[in-house]
């Protein structure tokens, strides 16, 4: 059957089971929007294309499906770039579709023309410029395949508007065959046996679990490996939720703002089992001082991540879930009794702590949110101190409940991501934990949230500062608070919420915190809770840049 | 240390930009890059000479393999391959020394492509030591211009390098 490019796009999205997409119209996507007008796909109009990209990202992280966003050419496309880069750094499956000027105008500096395939080449897993409408269906199928398999990532498809109007016979390819793309899923059996023996022989093993374990849906297998064998577990920011934080074997997050006991444990271990984690600099600190006594087993789907930063003794390339199933069958329980005693001792000596001295402390707010939601909510964060306090004080027990920009660290990510997550999980309570700086970066999406009746709860931990930068300036730049003070320039967030048709609350007293959270949870609308918190609270512990991760400062540490 | 790698890629628009972008983003030093079609018109082949230690080379191979348009990456160990490069050199000559320039070039196996009163253009094909010897011999006479293609390489086994998908990188 003959169809236009725009119709083919819609048909392909239907074939890929796309139920929701996010975007913003414009001149070079008019043919597509015309077909979207009566298409059976829920289209969410955002108020800034960056919001569309982050929402598609949040939707993907919360559901495991591919997030889809659509923007016009030129500025519409470039507005997606931060969101695409965010997804790229955190390996999120996303397909971004952009309109482009007519094929014969490309390269002519046409109106609203941008070389988006050139611009996004370094921040996409792959990208396409469609040159012939006959290629469109195959390209879309390939894009979804590439985005969602192997190590997931964003794929961009740039479609010139004349191609959106051209007709061709539509046939959706039955299969995808890309000779240059063949991810490995099954781990090498010899390596798996070697790893099993190394674990069985170890005295101080530790599991280091990252986002890849969640992407692979490997929580059950990680838990079995840990619990059946008495091995403590530490998680990266993106790995939180892969193993329940409430379990006694959990050490919480490790790294620059991780728990002291997680950092001591990994530095003292004799065997690190890395699962879907990439030894990022926030985790390793000074690389040549990292885990000096440990052998390293690295289970990862991306061979390029193996031995990139840290030398790996037993690499196993493949899908974490598959590999762990095999591994668990071969591991014999190691003797970790002494090790667990040591680790428990560290947990007792160096708990996360804060001075609860009457003002509203951000850590207290997070604890209350955790209690009020029974640890069952989907928590999105922006970037900064509040993000770290969330990782420390909200006990994540389930995968796909911690949505945060880890790799790129994008302020403004959390709120649109929460919108995407709420759409993907309509029955969940979805929070955006924000700072007063971050929330202003995509505040316009209040309109999107209210218009689509998404009862996202925004908790602003308002200290009137760009907190994380202020902390570094306090500790390392002699208190020279250069351009981080927002005091006196902030909007009244309550009035701002109401201006958009949402509900606003300001909380200034500690005794009102819990009541506000409970009230917000019961409101069937978008809610902003503006918590006025202690201004100069610092995130501790902290590993200063360039230090080994057991050289932490702050938080009552030895 | 310099390494020579061959990369088989899809013969599509933008692939060269992808590779060079990857290398520059990750700080991999390209000494030379030569690219052309293979016996299969859908496949292009790049020969890249890179600078770096073994760990860097491993990352280069792995990151290149990640690119969807890259079909295969091969690196050549010393002794396993033939390397060749084409060079054109314009040398300034005088009536007195022109004979010597020509003799020196021909002794190394280079050809005189154009012979004028004040300059000659010399062409040579060879491995890196022949090219380097030629330049050493011509330098004292005064080199006006040098154009090089960059190295290409082929292994000396009985098998052809086929674009049959990436071997699984399982260490």
């Amino acid at each position: 059957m003959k169809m236009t490019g725009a119709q083919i796009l819609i048909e392909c999205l239907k074939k890929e089971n796309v139920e929701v997409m996010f975007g913003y119209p414009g001149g070079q996507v008019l043919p597509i929007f015309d077909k979207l007008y009566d298409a059976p796909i829920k289209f969410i109009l955002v108020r800034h294309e960056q919001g569309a990209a982050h929402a598609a990202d949040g939707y993907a992280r919360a559901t495991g499906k591919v997030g889809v966003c659509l923007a016009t050419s030129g500025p519409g496309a470039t507005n997606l770039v931060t969101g695409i880069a965010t997804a790229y750094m955190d390996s999120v499956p996303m397909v971004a579709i952009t309109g482009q000027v007519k094929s014969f105008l490309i390269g002519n500096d046409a109106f609203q023309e941008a070389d988006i395939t050139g611009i996004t080449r370094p921040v996409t897993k792959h990208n396409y410029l469609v040159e012939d409408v006959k290629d469109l269906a195959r390209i879309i199928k390939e894009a979804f395949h590439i985005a969602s398999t192997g190590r997931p990532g964003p794929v961009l498809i740039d479609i010139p508007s004349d191609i959106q109007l051209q007709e061709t016979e539509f046939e959706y390819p039955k299969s995808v065959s890309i000779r240059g793309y063949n991810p490995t899923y099954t781990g090498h059996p010899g390596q798996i046996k070697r790893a099993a023996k190394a674990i069985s022989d170890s005295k101080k093993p530790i599991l280091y679990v990252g986002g890849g374990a969640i992407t692979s849906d490997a929580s059950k297998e990680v838990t079995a490996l840990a619990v059946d064998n008495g091995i403590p577990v530490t998680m990266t920011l993106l790995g939180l939720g892969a193993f329940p934080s409430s379990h006694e074997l959990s050490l919480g997050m490790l790294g620059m703002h991780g728990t002291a006991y997680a950092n001591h444990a990994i530095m003292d271990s004799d065997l690190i089992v890395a699962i879907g984690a990439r030894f990022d600099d926030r985790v390793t600190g000074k690389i040549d001082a990292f885990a000096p006594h440990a052998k390293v087993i690295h289970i990862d789907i991306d061979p390029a991540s193996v031995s990139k930063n840290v030398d790996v003794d037993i690499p196993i390339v493949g899908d974490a879930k598959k590999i762990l199933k095999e591994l668990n069958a071969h591991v014999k329980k190691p003797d970790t009794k002494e090790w667990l005693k040591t680790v428990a001792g560290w947990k007792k000596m160096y708990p996360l702590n804060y001075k609860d001295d009457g003002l509203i402390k951000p850590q207290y707010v997070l604890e209350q949110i955790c209690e009020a939601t029974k640890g069952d909510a989907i928590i999105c964060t922006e970037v900064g101190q509040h993000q770290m306090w969330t990782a420390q004080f909200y006990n994540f027990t389930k995968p796909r409940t911690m949505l945060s920009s880890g790799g790129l660290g994008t302020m403004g990510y959390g709120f649109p991501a929460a919108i995407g997550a709420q759409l993907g999980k309509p029955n969940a309570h979805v929070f955006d934990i924000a700072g007063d700086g971050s929330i202003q970066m995509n505040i316009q999406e209040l309109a999107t949230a209210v218009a689509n009746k998404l009862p996202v709860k925004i908790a602003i931990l308002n200290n009137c500062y760009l907190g994380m930068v202020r902390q570094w300036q306090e500790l390392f730049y002699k208190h020279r608070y250069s351009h981080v003070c927002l005091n006196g320039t902030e909007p009244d967030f309550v009035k701002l919420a109401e201006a958009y048709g949402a509900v606003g609350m300001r909380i200034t007293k500690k005794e009102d915190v819990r009541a506000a959270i409970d009230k917000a949870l019961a409101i069937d609308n978008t809610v902003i809770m503006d918590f006025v918190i202690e201004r100069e609270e610092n995130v501790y512990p902290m590993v200063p840049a360039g230090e080994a991760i057991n050289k932490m400062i702050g938080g009552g540490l030895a | 240390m310099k390494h020579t790698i061959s990369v088989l890629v899809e013969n599509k628009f933008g692939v060269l930009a992808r590779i060079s972008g990857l290398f520059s983003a990750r700080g991999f030093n390209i000494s030379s890059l030569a690219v052309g079609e293979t016996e299969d018109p859908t496949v292009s082949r790049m020969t890249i000479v890179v600078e770096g230690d073994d760990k860097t080379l491993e990352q280069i191979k792995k990151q290149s393999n990640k690119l969807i348009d890259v079909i295969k990456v091969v690196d050549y160990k010393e002794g396993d391959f033939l390397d060749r490069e084409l060079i054109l050199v314009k040398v300034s000559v005088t009536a007195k020394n022109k004979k010597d320039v020509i003799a020196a070039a021909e002794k190394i196996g280079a050809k005189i492509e154009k012979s004028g009163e004040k300059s000659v253009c010399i062409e040579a094909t060879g491995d890196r030591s022949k090219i380097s010897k030629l330049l050493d011999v011509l330098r004292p006479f005064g080199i006006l211009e040098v154009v090089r293609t960059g190295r290409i390489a082929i292994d000396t086994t009985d098998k052809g390098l086929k674009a049959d998908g990436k071997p699984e990188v399982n260490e």
Side-chain angles (χ1 to χ4, degrees):
Chain A
M1 181 176 162
K2 269 201 177 240
M3 286 189 188
T4 63
Q7 285 171 303
I8 290 174
L9 173 63
I10 306 300
E11 285 307 307
C12 291
L13 293 177
K14 280 158 66 182
K15 290 258 196 268
E16 291 294 332
N17 297 316
V18 173
E19 293 169 337
V20 185
M21 58 191 286
F22 306 86
Y24 202 85
Q28 300 308 325
V29 282
L30 278 165
I32 296 176
F33 270 81
D34 187 63
K35 294 299 163 225
L36 278 173
Y37 187 63
D38 37 23
I41 298 176
K42 193 174 167 92
F43 183 86
I44 304 294
L45 175 69
V46 296
R47 299 306 188 265
H48 188 293
E49 288 92 349
Q50 182 179 357
H54 290 321
D57 178 319
Y59 177 86
R61 291 188 208 218
T63 62
K65 300 177 70 176
V66 175
V68 181
C69 55
L70 167 68
T72 190
S73 64
T78 55
N79 275 344
L80 291 176
V81 176
T82 301
I84 294 172
T86 303
Y88 181 72
M89 287 295 274
D90 290 344
S91 306
V92 177
M94 178 193 284
V95 170
I97 302 160
T98 52
Q100 180 56 279
V101 302
K102 294 188 176 18
S103 311
F104 57 88
L105 285 175
I106 292 177
N108 224 315
D109 304 314
F111 177 63
Q112 295 200 323
E113 177 189 357
D115 176 17
I116 196 63
T117 47
I119 291 168
T120 56
R121 217 165 267 139
V123 291
T124 47
K125 189 170 171 186
H126 194 55
N127 63 18
Y128 295 90
L129 168 63
V130 183
E131 296 177 290
D132 189 332
V133 67
K134 295 193 187 64
D135 297 330
L136 183 57
R138 170 189 58 83
I139 285 175
I140 296 170
K141 191 166 175 91
E142 282 185 13
F144 274 83
H145 174 73
I146 293 170
S148 58
T149 57
R151 179 178 183 177
V155 178
L156 180 133
I157 308 174
D158 198 22
I159 314 178
S161 55
D162 52 334
I163 297 201
Q164 296 169 30
L165 290 166
Q166 283 167 13
E167 282 196 344
T168 188
E169 204 56 48
F170 170 60
E171 204 194 312
Y172 201 55
K174 287 193 192 56
S175 63
V176 178
S177 162
I178 306 172
R179 59 186 160 184
Y181 181 63
N182 231 322
T184 303
Y185 295 108
T186 309
H188 188 280
Q191 294 292 85
I192 293 177
K193 288 207 186 69
R194 277 181 68 203
K197 178 151 196 311
I199 296 173
S200 313
D201 291 345
S202 65
K203 292 274 175 292
K204 303 178 179 181
I206 186 168
L207 301 190
Y208 156 54
V209 180
I214 295 181
T215 304
S216 173
D217 187 33
S219 285
K220 213 171 82 195
E221 289 75 17
V222 169
T223 304
L225 180 59
V227 174
D228 295 349
N229 299 293
I231 305 177
V233 182
T234 184
M235 288 158 280
T236 67
L237 180 69
L238 260 61
L240 289 170
F243 183 78
S245 295
S246 46
H247 196 284
E248 62 176 348
L249 283 172
S250 166
L251 301 177
M253 185 175 74
L254 80 170
M256 182 178 267
H257 286 295
T259 63
Y261 39 88
N263 286 343
H264 281 303
I266 203 158
M267 285 296 276
D268 203 49
S269 69
D270 66 358
L271 181 71
I272 298 173
V273 186
I275 305 167
R278 57 186 173 93
F279 293 95
D280 176 69
D281 60 84
R282 299 288 111 166
V283 160
T284 61
K286 189 152 177 269
I287 263 262
D288 42 12
F290 179 72
H293 318 293
K295 265 187 140 157
V296 178
I297 299 172
H298 195 171
I299 299 168
D300 204 287
I301 198 156
D302 180 3
S305 280
V306 176
S307 289
K308 183 181 78 179
N309 297 330
V310 163
D311 287 327
V312 172
D313 299 281
I314 307 176
I316 312 177
V317 174
D319 173 72
K321 192 185 181 77
K322 268 186 147 202
I323 290 172
L324 287 175
K325 274 203 172 99
E326 272 301 302
L327 184 66
N328 289 347
H330 286 98
V331 173
K332 301 208 183 341
K333 191 172 195 303
D335 175 17
T336 57
K337 234 180 30 217
E338 283 310 308
W339 175 230
L340 290 177
K341 270 209 217 108
T342 310
V343 170
W346 280 323
K347 270 178 116 167
K348 208 155 163 220
M349 237 190 330
Y350 307 120
L352 288 168
N353 61 78
Y354 63 97
K355 232 174 34 229
D356 199 3
D357 52 13
L359 300 164
I360 300 184
K361 287 300 174 82
Q363 302 92 329
Y364 178 75
V365 175
L366 259 336
E367 283 171 341
Q368 291 304 307
I369 294 178
C370 187
E371 261 185 48
T373 59
K374 303 195 187 44
D376 262 347
I378 296 179
I379 306 289
C380 303
T381 77
E382 308 282 348
V383 170
Q385 292 183 310
H386 64 276
Q387 177 191 33
M388 293 294 103
W389 283 317
T390 304
Q392 292 175 337
F393 289 91
Y394 190 99
N395 284 327
F396 292 96
T397 53
K398 296 201 191 76
R400 299 194 181 281
T401 56
M402 187 353 162
L403 276 50
S404 191
S405 171
L408 197 61
T410 309
M411 288 171 71
Y413 166 77
F415 181 32
I419 287 173
Q422 186 78 83
L423 276 152
K425 295 275 177 191
N427 297 325
H429 280 301
V430 180
F431 276 74
D432 174 33
I433 313 294
D436 42 297
S438 293
I439 193 59
Q440 294 187 64
M441 290 215 171
N442 272 309
I443 193 74
Q444 77 282 344
E445 299 308 320
L446 273 172
T448 310
V450 172
N452 290 281
K453 300 198 180 11
L454 301 170
V456 169
K457 317 297 173 205
I458 302 175
I460 304 177
L461 302 184
N462 193 336
N463 55 10
C464 290
Y465 274 116
L466 300 178
M468 187 56 93
V469 178
R470 183 210 57 73
Q471 175 171 337
W472 281 64
Q473 289 170 338
E474 175 192 321
L475 296 173
F476 308 116
Y477 287 88
K478 304 189 174 60
H479 274 87
R480 287 157 61 86
Y481 290 171
S482 175
H483 305 288
V484 290
C485 186
L486 300 176
N487 196 15
T489 66
E490 304 226 270
D492 179 333
F493 287 109
V494 174
K495 284 203 183 132
L496 190 51
E498 287 166 0
Y500 274 100
V503 172
M505 301 175 195
R506 178 169 299 104
I507 303 99
T508 53
K509 297 206 216 77
K510 182 183 166 191
E511 51 269 28
D512 296 335
V513 168
R514 180 55 180 269
I517 298 168
D518 290 332
K519 184 161 167 225
L521 285 168
I523 294 173
D524 193 16
N525 193 355
T526 313
V527 179
I528 291 187
M529 292 167 277
D530 184 12
F531 292 99
V532 179
I533 61 166
E534 158 65 60
R535 292 249 176 108
E536 296 196 24
E537 185 77 6
N538 285 340
V539 184
Y540 289 126
M542 175 175 192
V543 179
E547 287 288 355
I549 56 171
N550 52 2
K551 301 277 180 284
M552 295 160 275
I553 61 175
L557 287 169
Chain B
M1 202 171 89
K2 289 199 196 227
H3 305 270
T4 304
I5 61 173
S6 271
V7 188
L8 292 183
V9 300
E10 300 282 350
N11 189 2
K12 279 191 192 144
F13 142 84
V15 180
L16 180 58
R18 281 189 208 283
I19 295 270
S20 55
L22 167 70
F23 278 56
S24 92
R26 299 220 171 234
F28 301 145
N29 250 306
I30 299 181
S31 294
S32 72
L33 192 156
V35 55
E37 271 186 25
T38 65
E39 69 280 1
D40 176 346
T42 68
V43 180
S44 287
R45 176 171 176 153
M46 294 184 180
T47 310
I48 312 178
V49 178
V50 295
E51 185 86 50
D53 59 18
D54 284 340
K55 199 161 165 171
T56 305
L57 178 65
E58 202 189 310
Q59 266 297 296
I60 289 174
K61 282 162 44 182
K62 285 175 168 176
Q63 293 291 346
S64 300
N65 256 316
K66 267 177 94 161
L67 294 175
I68 306 288
D69 286 334
V70 168
I71 304 166
K72 199 178 242 181
V73 179
V74 173
D75 89 274
Y76 293 113
K77 305 276 180 291
E78 282 301 325
D80 262 6
F81 66 104
L82 296 173
D83 75 296
R84 295 287 181 268
E85 183 173 5
L86 178 77
I87 185 173
L88 295 171
V89 188
K90 190 189 293 178
V91 184
S92 86
V93 296
T94 62
K96 269 210 350 225
N97 69 14
K98 187 162 160 183
K99 262 208 315 290
D100 302 326
V101 172
I102 293 177
E106 286 177 343
K107 184 155 179 240
I108 295 199
K111 292 189 291 174
I112 312 301
E113 282 304 317
K114 184 198 152 313
S115 179
E117 277 192 22
K118 297 233 187 79
S119 71
V120 296
C121 282
I122 297 171
E123 172 195 320
T125 315
D127 63 18
R128 74 204 94 152
S129 69
K130 175 173 170 185
I131 303 291
S132 152
K133 233 190 269 161
L134 176 69
L135 288 169
D136 287 341
V137 151
L138 295 176
R139 206 165 282 118
F141 295 104
I143 292 181
L144 293 171
E145 196 173 332
V146 171
V147 184
R148 300 172 71 152
T149 58
R151 179 185 307 168
I152 57 171
I154 196 165
D155 77 33
T156 49
T157 67
D158 292 330
K159 294 204 298 221
L161 185 63
K162 285 290 159 221
D164 54 3
K166 297 200 242 281
E168 295 327 338
V169 183
N170 245 324
E171 286 149 79

